[in-house]
């Protein structure tokens, strides 16, 4: 399959390009930044705010994995984030329609669920795709509006285009797990990190989710939560819920350390099976496990 990956110089983008190539796809990688070390030899520098450049980039492709947004509220004004991300997302969807591109997978975010989470605004736990959304930032607003926009474009293509939004949680690369104990496990950080229900996602699982979504057929217009199978905390998930969200009802029983951002839909429909967790790298006390040399080497890729 001929696939264009936007945002290919970013964290998820770099791993997604590699994952798609390893699966046998033909990948054109693109970003506003040059990425000489990209796994794809076909790398195009393009500004997605320019519709002409978007057309040149996407024309002739069979699928697009769109990861090219400003990724954070930090270091950018709300106006810059909203203006850039909404225009970029509109241009990609418009090109999808104009050139009859069959498939689009794009990166939404857990922030649309109400980041930072507060107990009074949560209807239940674990949070699934049916949970009401509550946007509190320009970044989350652009993501949620694009989810609505995707539905409109799906209708404009007479339901011929497959459009899949993946709501990613906080993304970790392999070498970043060692930072978790000092960044998240003290009492102050436990309180702070409830802002996204302690959800996170290994970048390799995020890339795998992109592959699954682009290879799957007949999905229509769908939204999926994509996280690690667990939380970023050593505590049991039910204990975290009881302590920090005491009056939020449970939609179903919470097992062990499972993520509070439910991934049941992605498991059942996409076949998503997250393979990576900090628990494979760190002991419960935060010390580093003795890993085989080949696994440690992943951190340097």
């Amino acid at each position: 399959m001929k696939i264009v990956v936007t945002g290919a110089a970013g964290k998820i983008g770099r791993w997604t390009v590699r994952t798609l190539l390893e699966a046998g796809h033909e990948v054109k990688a693109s970003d506003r930044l040059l990425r000489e070390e990209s796994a794809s030899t076909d790398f195009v520098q393009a500004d997605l705010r320019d519709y002409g450049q978007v057309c040149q980039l996407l024309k002739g492709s069979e699928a697009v994995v769109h990861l090219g947004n400003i990724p954070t509220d930090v270091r950018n004004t709300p106006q810059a984030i909203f203006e850039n991300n909404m225009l970029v997302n509109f241009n990609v969807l418009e090109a999808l329609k104009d050139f009859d591109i069959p498939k689009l997978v794009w990166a939404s975010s857990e922030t649309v669920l109400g980041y930072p989470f507060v107990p009074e605004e949560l209807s239940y736990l674990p949070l699934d795709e049916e949970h009401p959304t509550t946007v509190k930032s320009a970044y989350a607003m652009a993501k949620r509006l694009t989810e609505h926009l995707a539905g409109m474009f799906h209708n404009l293509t007479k339901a011929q285009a497959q459009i899949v939004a993946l709501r990613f949680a906080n993304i970790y690369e392999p070498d970043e797990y060692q930072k978790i104990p000092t960044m998240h496990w003290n009492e102050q950080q436990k309180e702070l990190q409830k802002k996204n229900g302690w959800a996170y996602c290994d970048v390799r699982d995020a890339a795998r989710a992109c592959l699954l979504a682009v290879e799957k057929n007949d999905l229509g217009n769908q939204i999926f939560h994509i996280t690690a199978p667990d939380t970023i905390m050593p505590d049991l998930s039910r204990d975290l819920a009881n302590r920090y969200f005491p009056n939020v009802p449970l939609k179903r029983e919470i097992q062990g350390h499972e993520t509070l951002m439910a991934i049941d839909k992605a498991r059942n429909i996409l076949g998503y099976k997250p393979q990576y967790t900090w628990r494979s790298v760190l002991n419960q006390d935060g010390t580093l496990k003795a890993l085989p040399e080949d696994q440690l080497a992943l951190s340097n890729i």
Side-chain angles (χ1 to χ4, degrees):
M1 196 184 307
K2 294 181 179 179
I3 304 174
V4 174
V5 177
T6 70
K11 185 181 282 190
I12 302 177
R14 297 194 305 273
W15 288 84
T16 297
V17 168
R18 184 183 310 145
T19 300
L20 293 171
L21 287 169
E22 289 173 351
H25 296 289
E26 181 181 331
V27 179
K28 178 186 291 185
S30 181
D31 205 291
R32 279 197 294 181
L33 303 173
L34 284 173
R35 189 76 186 184
E36 300 298 339
E37 68 271 30
S38 173
S40 176
T41 57
D42 186 1
F43 195 102
V44 178
Q45 188 173 22
D47 188 340
L48 302 181
R49 295 172 297 182
D50 183 329
Y51 188 61
Q53 294 186 48
V54 174
C55 291
Q56 286 185 308
L57 179 66
L58 301 190
K59 186 177 181 179
S61 62
E62 297 171 285
V64 178
V65 178
H66 174 43
L67 307 171
N69 272 189
I70 294 176
T72 175
D73 289 310
V74 180
R75 298 185 301 276
N76 295 281
T77 66
Q79 291 76 18
I81 293 167
F82 188 83
E83 179 182 355
N84 180 87
N85 290 0
M86 283 306 304
L87 179 57
V88 163
N89 295 347
F90 175 85
N91 283 345
V92 170
L93 285 161
E94 182 78 356
L96 181 86
K97 172 180 66 69
D98 288 350
F99 295 109
D100 297 319
I101 299 170
K103 294 181 177 181
L104 170 66
V105 177
W106 67 280
S108 188
S109 166
E110 89 274 38
T111 58
V112 304
L113 294 166
Y115 181 96
F117 298 167
V118 294
E120 296 76 17
E121 295 172 347
L122 298 183
S123 300
Y124 54 80
L125 290 169
L127 301 172
D128 58 21
E129 291 83 354
E130 302 303 316
H131 192 279
T133 56
T134 305
V135 297
K136 300 178 182 177
S137 67
Y139 177 79
M141 188 177 296
K143 293 297 188 184
R144 184 57 181 147
L145 287 174
T146 302
E147 290 181 354
H148 287 296
L149 198 62
M152 297 178 195
F153 273 93
H154 181 64
N155 292 334
L156 288 174
T157 66
K158 296 180 171 57
Q160 295 302 304
Q162 176 174 292
I163 304 176
V164 176
L166 303 179
R167 287 179 181 167
F168 293 114
N170 192 19
I171 300 295
Y172 272 79
E173 291 192 277
D175 61 329
E176 294 180 305
Y177 286 132
Q178 297 179 55
K179 306 173 185 177
I180 289 176
T182 55
M183 288 179 60
H184 299 301
W185 287 0
N186 63 60
E187 289 302 309
Q188 181 180 4
Q189 284 299 318
K190 281 185 182 180
E191 172 70 32
L192 179 63
Q193 294 306 319
K194 77 176 185 184
K195 62 188 176 183
N196 79 333
W198 310 279
Y200 76 105
C201 185
D202 189 287
V203 70
R204 294 163 290 183
D205 284 324
R208 179 69 181 172
C210 291
L211 172 66
L212 291 169
V214 84
E215 289 187 337
K216 195 81 172 177
N217 296 319
D218 303 318
L219 290 176
N221 179 44
Q222 294 273 9
I223 296 171
F224 296 97
H225 289 177
I226 301 296
T227 78
D230 56 353
T231 75
I232 208 162
M233 294 296 177
D235 314 62
L236 291 172
S237 298
R238 181 62 184 271
D239 292 344
L240 290 169
N242 288 341
R243 178 176 176 183
Y244 294 96
F245 301 104
N247 298 316
V248 178
L250 299 183
K251 190 170 184 178
R252 60 167 173 78
E253 189 59 36
I254 298 172
Q255 303 294 330
H257 298 96
E258 75 163 296
T259 177
L260 296 178
M261 189 174 155
I263 55 175
D264 306 68
K265 182 181 177 183
R267 290 183 190 271
N268 295 334
I269 297 177
L270 294 181
Y272 175 64
K273 299 177 182 178
Q275 300 178 35
Y276 301 100
T277 165
W278 65 265
R279 295 171 209 277
S280 299
V281 179
L282 302 177
N283 295 305
Q284 288 291 109
D285 63 358
T287 58
L288 191 66
K289 289 183 178 179
L291 294 176
E293 193 64 32
D294 61 333
Q295 290 189 37
L296 288 174
L298 284 172
S299 300
N300 301 317
I301 293 178

